[in-house]
Amino acid sequence: MEILTEVAISAFLVISGVFGLVGSFGLVKLKDTMQRLHAPTKATTLGVGGVLIASMLYFLLVKDKLSFHELLITLFLFLTAPITANFIAKAYMSANIREADVPTTQGEKGWAIYDDPPEPAEQD
Amino acid sequence: MIYMALYFAIGCYGIGLVFNLWRIARGPDAADRILGLDTMVINVIALLILFGILKGTAMYYEAAMLVAMVGFVSTVAYCRFLLRGDIIE
């Protein structure tokens, strides 16, 4: 049983380390900013997630303490990663891509990064 | 065995920090630099938790949580500054 917990914790640690390295290496290797947005998501989800699972298992099985802090960090990272990616993509688009190059939204309002926000509705 | 895996993971994230630093120094666009900083924050969170396992204390979760929150807020602030020229309108 002892050896099984060690193998499990070590496997999670090694997997997370490899994914963290892959995420950061993709940031160097990929050619375009929009492509580079894709790489760090690996480091966020699998890398940090693996580290947090490994630390939960370690404190539960080796130290006999149950802790839920890790789940909080995982939840926070999973909530904020899409928001930051969306913001970075918007910042890139507003600086580098002209409005004529993107397709229309086919709605009554245009792209949020090029047009002013619509007027707020009248409050009663 | 856990310690060997720990040192392996710490080495991986350390090399990852060097890659991020290269992207921040090189990055042709401001968005690339923000992305590099954001990934750096992620790597630092992982390093803090690994350090906590290495020392055997649960004290570093609070530090990791604070780094996660400050990193998110700073990334959003940078992007808003680029988008609107102002952070709080």
Side-chain angles (χ1 to χ4, degrees), chain A residues 11-12 18 34-35 39 43 50 54-55 59 67 80 88 97 99 104 106 118 120-121 124:
Chain A
F12 274 115
V18 167
M34 284 305 206
Q35 286 179 14
S55 106
F59 282 103
S67 67
T80 57
I88 292 169
I97 297 177
E99 193 176 0
T104 57
Q106 299 189 342
D124 291 323

Side-chain angles (χ1 to χ4, degrees), chain A residues 6-7 10 13 16-17 21 24-25 27-28 33 36 40 47-48 52 55 59 69-70 73 76 80 84 96, chain B residues 1-2 9 12-13 16 19-20 23 29 32 35 38-39 42-43 49-50 53 57 61-62 65 68-69 72 83:
Chain A
E6 281 211 7
V7 167
S10 305
L13 283 174
S16 78
L21 189 60
S24 296
F25 181 66
L27 206 60
V28 171
T33 306
R36 281 197 281 271
V48 178
L52 292 164
S55 106
F59 282 103
H69 298 245
E70 291 93 339
I73 299 176
F76 187 79
T80 57
T84 54
N96 294 59
Chain B
M1 195 154 77
I2 291 179
C12 280
Y13 281 105
F19 285 156
N20 296 338
R23 178 51 66 201
D29 203 76
D32 287 298
L35 191 61
D38 193 49
T39 317
I42 301 290
N43 284 3
I49 297 162
L50 288 172
I53 301 176
T57 77
Y61 295 128
E62 279 79 9
M65 192 79 207
M69 287 176 170
F72 170 66
L83 271 174

Side-chain angles (χ1 to χ4, degrees), chain A residues 74-119:
Chain A
T74 319
L75 190 71
F76 187 79
L77 282 179
F78 278 29
L79 281 177
T80 57
I83 302 172
T84 54
N86 188 10
F87 257 109
I88 292 169
K90 273 172 147 181
Y92 175 77
M93 281 181 76
S94 77
N96 294 59
I97 297 177
R98 283 170 300 133
E99 193 176 0
D101 293 339
V102 294
T104 57
T105 56
Q106 299 189 342
E108 54 188 84
K109 298 190 180 65
W111 285 69
I113 51 171
Y114 301 118
D115 292 355
D116 284 332
E119 291 293 319

